[in-house]
Amino acid sequence: AIGAYRRTDLRGQFLEQLGFKVPDIINDMPGGNEFFVTMPSEDLSPMDVDALVWLDIGGSVSRLKALPLRYTMRAYKEGREVYADPMLSAALSHSSPLSLEYALDQLVPLLEKALDGDPATVVPSSAAVGLAPVK
């Protein structure tokens, strides 16, 4: 299932401390739990945000590529998706002092590329696994 972390989750809090905002629609969605909500693959619009970070806990790339509506999202079309490989995803999930330092070192440059305002800029982590938009 595709899901999103709410602002009450450590991952959401981490991104909010970097200046991002978890959309209210995600925080207010029914179902899931206090920290996480699943999204129907038929409606990914709540996740079509300024920068979309895909966490991979193993085997997510093929599932992401198979999501037909992902290719209609502005985040995809404008190259604003950031793929977090299993190591970066684990660092964000563990949220320890050492892992957060690693997460900052890895994630911030990727977010800078995703949000530089130029859709032609390629986010290296997304391109490396074939998730970058085809130009």
Side-chain angles (χ1 to χ4, degrees), residues 57-72:
I57 56 170
S60 297
V61 173
S62 60
R63 288 186 299 237
L64 290 172
K65 288 180 180 179
L67 280 174
L69 292 181
R70 181 179 149 258
Y71 300 97
T72 67

Side-chain angles (χ1 to χ4, degrees), residues 5 9 11 53-58 60 63-64 82-86 88-90 92-93 107:
Y5 291 101
D9 184 80
R11 288 153 281 228
V53 179
W54 293 111
L55 299 183
D56 189 344
I57 56 170
S60 297
R63 288 186 299 237
L64 290 172
V82 173
Y83 169 73
D85 66 19
L88 177 52
S89 296
L92 289 165
S93 296
L107 186 60

Side-chain angles (χ1 to χ4, degrees), residues 48-49 52 54 69-81 119 130-135:
D48 201 1
V49 293
L52 181 57
W54 293 111
L69 292 181
R70 181 179 149 258
Y71 300 97
T72 67
M73 296 171 66
R74 288 179 307 111
Y76 168 78
K77 291 178 185 178
E78 297 174 11
R80 294 183 282 108
E81 291 179 302
L131 292 176
V134 177
K135 305 284 180 182

Side-chain angles (χ1 to χ4, degrees), residues 36-60:
F36 182 85
V37 63
T38 57
M39 299 279 172
S41 59
E42 299 82 23
D43 182 14
L44 300 177
S45 61
M47 297 174 60
D48 201 1
V49 293
D50 291 338
L52 181 57
V53 179
W54 293 111
L55 299 183
D56 189 344
I57 56 170
S60 297

